[in-house]
Amino acid sequence: MNSHLTPPALGPRYKWVALSTTTLGVLIATINSSILLIALPDIFRGLQINPLAPGNSSYLLWLIMGYLVVTAVLVVTFGRLGDMYGRVKMFNTGFAIFTFFSVALSVTWLTGTPGVMWLIIMRILQGVGGALLMANSSAIITDAFPADQRGLALGLNMVSGIAGSFLGLVIGGVLAPVHWRYVFLVSVPFSIFGTLWGYLKLRDLSPRRHHVMDWWGNITFALGLIGVLVAITYGIQPYGDHLMGWTNPWVLASMIGGLGILAAFCVIETRVAHPMFHLDLFRIRAFTFGNIASLLSGLGRGGLMFILIIWLQGIWLPRHGYSFESTPLWAGVFMLPMTVGFLVAGPLSGWLSDRHGARPFATGGMLIAAVSFFWFAALPVNFSYWTFAAALFLNGFGMGLFASPNRAAVMNALPANRRGVGGGMSTTFQNSSMVLSIGIFFSLMIVGLAGSLPQTMQAGLTAHGIPAVQAHGVASLPPVAVLFASLLGYNPVQSLLGSHTLAQLRPADAQYLTGHAFFPSLISEPFHNGLIVAFGFAIAACLIAAVASWFMGEKFVHADDQHEGLVDVAQPEVRAAQPEEVRS
């Protein structure tokens, strides 16, 4: 293989400048995708609104998922724009937009519903900046590094992004109790530095293709994906007498309509001269199976954070003496072994995959992740922390072992003039899997809880002085209310019963019902039933992802590396499978 040729004016250190700048952008974008999970209680208190009140649960979900929906919808479009007008230009624009709306999120003077609506809108617009950063970072790195170093470079970038979603939990938990506005301001200095540094140092190295914009493709893709993701967001909320909203006509219309529009999008993309979503890229074996594996990995990983946080905040931490108010912070701290696993395995597997190919490490990573989910499912609800920490580390290690080789294999499989749109397509699968995973995990948990939670809760409440009629009313509340209360670190019993009812009880009963032991003990068995169902799904997703990773093939670099002069090192059967329109 010919040596990598960096333009002389940039020097041999340019690739490390590109890596550090793009990694900073991805890290900030992913930290902000999860930083609110732990900070939400302080944000809602600061805005003087009760998120558990009827009608307010949608605010909670949109604050969390609005950012994820926007980044999932826009990354392909922004990757395409990067191919047409310059990836560095799009990336730097993303940094500037992200910085502006990070400041806008922190300066609201509104409270109550107007304050929450301001935050939701600003979060969505902040997501536009995040999408620009995510869509172009991998392509910039791939342009800057030779093929035999991309695994390490993309691994560092990928792992920092995934680790950022876990670091956001800790950062949000530390800053939110000081003041909720700091949660949004913390990224501003780094965003300003990244904007200026990227503008001064980054350069476009790839050829630009100025084609006509595929407006019909962009519009149908955005509308279709938004329809599906919005349906998932509202599908996990109660509807009438139903536990969830999957029978809601609006949810069904949004889901069916979104899928129909996406089908129309696929037809459009086969008939336009310059499509946004290059379906011919799926004729490349490594690209297709790599994205399938990435989607399934995201389905297993995305909802896991929510479930583990609820497990820690709603059951384990209170049973070990932590106040409900302090559980959000400590949940983030106790989940750090997972981040450590990512940081250990990611760069190592990227470096090794450069030398030995992606297949053994991506496949092995998914198998290890499946074992970790078996481990989680086998743990008692009131576990010993060190066994839980070991399972967390193993899960993080497996996911990190998979992430770097998978990303490198996908990006190496792309021709130079398709890296922006191809990277955006890959990121769309990854980001969409997060929203899909949250919907799937929450739905499975609700189904698991619904089987025994009402009877268990009613029996427990009546045994401690709550009138049968009122106990039945509380026990009949949707299980999602219990999940949200635990996620927010609220005392669920106190939130569900209210201070008026508690004041009428004997002091000993009231103290026990709102103490550390009652609620965690009450929901332990129903919660464990939900865990088994959710972890069973995660195991299946990881095992299928392992099979897909194996079918990616051996080490592969696309022949059309136009600015580098690379030669194809693929196996003959993989090389022959490339379509002519992709190579040119």
Side-chain angles (χ1 to χ4, degrees), residues 189-255:
F190 301 99
S191 300
I192 292 174
F193 170 80
T195 303
L196 298 175
W197 188 253
Y199 177 78
L200 294 173
K201 295 294 184 180
L202 291 181
R203 297 292 182 268
D204 270 308
L205 303 180
S206 59
R208 300 183 188 179
R209 298 289 180 95
H210 291 281
H211 297 310
V212 176
M213 193 67 175
D214 175 20
W215 289 113
W216 281 112
N218 279 271
I219 292 170
T220 53
F221 178 76
L223 290 177
L225 191 56
I226 287 172
V228 172
L229 298 181
V230 168
I232 292 170
T233 302
Y234 285 99
I236 61 178
Q237 299 183 58
Y239 170 67
D241 296 330
H242 299 275
L243 296 174
M244 291 178 284
W246 297 113
T247 56
N248 185 334
W250 290 106
V251 170
L252 291 173
S254 181
M255 177 64 75

Side-chain angles (χ1 to χ4, degrees), residues 180-480:
W180 66 267
R181 297 179 193 271
Y182 294 162
V183 171
F184 303 113
L185 286 173
V186 64
S187 60
V188 171
F190 301 99
S191 300
I192 292 174
F193 170 80
T195 303
L196 298 175
W197 188 253
Y199 177 78
L200 294 173
K201 295 294 184 180
L202 291 181
R203 297 292 182 268
D204 270 308
L205 303 180
S206 59
R208 300 183 188 179
R209 298 289 180 95
H210 291 281
H211 297 310
V212 176
M213 193 67 175
D214 175 20
W215 289 113
W216 281 112
N218 279 271
I219 292 170
T220 53
F221 178 76
L223 290 177
L225 191 56
I226 287 172
V228 172
L229 298 181
V230 168
I232 292 170
T233 302
Y234 285 99
I236 61 178
Q237 299 183 58
Y239 170 67
D241 296 330
H242 299 275
L243 296 174
M244 291 178 284
W246 297 113
T247 56
N248 185 334
W250 290 106
V251 170
L252 291 173
S254 181
M255 177 64 75
I256 296 171
L259 292 174
I261 294 173
L262 286 177
F265 162 77
C266 292
V267 174
I268 290 170
E269 295 304 276
T270 62
R271 299 186 178 184
V272 296
H274 305 294
M276 176 195 81
F277 211 96
H278 282 265
L279 299 178
D280 52 12
L281 292 178
F282 289 109
R283 295 166 66 184
I284 302 175
R285 176 176 165 184
F287 183 80
T288 300
F289 284 104
N291 278 308
I292 292 172
S294 179
L295 175 67
L296 291 166
S297 169
L299 288 177
R301 184 185 68 247
L304 176 67
M305 285 193 300
F306 286 84
I307 300 305
L308 294 182
I309 289 171
I310 292 170
W311 193 353
L312 288 169
Q313 292 183 184
I315 298 177
W316 194 86
L317 287 168
R319 293 186 69 166
H320 288 78
Y322 293 85
S323 66
F324 282 100
E325 293 77 15
S326 68
T327 56
L329 169 60
W330 288 107
V333 172
F334 280 122
M335 287 180 63
L336 278 176
M338 184 178 288
T339 305
V340 174
F342 266 111
L343 297 178
V344 170
L348 177 63
S349 66
W351 180 76
L352 290 172
S353 69
D354 284 335
R355 286 150 179 79
H356 306 291
R359 181 160 69 177
F361 302 100
T363 303
M366 284 294 92
L367 292 176
I368 291 173
V371 171
S372 73
F373 282 116
F374 272 113
W375 192 338
F376 282 127
L379 288 175
V381 175
N382 192 22
F383 49 78
S384 167
Y385 176 70
W386 294 112
T387 58
F388 182 75
L392 284 174
F393 178 85
L394 187 66
N395 184 272
F397 188 89
M399 292 292 183
L401 194 67
F402 163 83
S404 303
N406 173 268
R407 189 66 167 181
V410 168
M411 294 304 296
N412 277 337
L414 295 170
N417 65 315
R418 295 286 186 263
R419 286 175 186 158
V421 66
M425 290 163 67
S426 183
T427 305
T428 294
F429 286 115
Q430 182 181 329
N431 291 354
S432 298
S433 70
M434 293 290 290
V435 181
L436 290 170
S437 181
I438 292 168
I440 292 170
F441 269 71
F442 262 83
S443 297
L444 294 175
M445 285 298 301
I446 290 168
V447 170
L449 284 170
S452 56
L453 180 62
Q455 299 89 338
T456 305
M457 182 171 285
Q458 181 167 356
L461 292 173
T462 53
H464 291 86
I466 302 297
V469 174
Q470 190 168 1
H472 177 75
V474 172
S476 300
L477 290 174
V480 71

Side-chain angles (χ1 to χ4, degrees), residues 20 145 194 371 445 456 522 539:
S20 59
F145 278 83
V371 171
M445 285 298 301
T456 305
L522 183 75
I539 291 167

Side-chain angles (χ1 to χ4, degrees), residues 13 93 114 278 311 361 367 475 511 544 582:
R13 297 182 180 178
T93 301
H278 282 265
W311 193 353
F361 302 100
L367 292 176
Q511 184 176 1
I544 299 173
V582 174

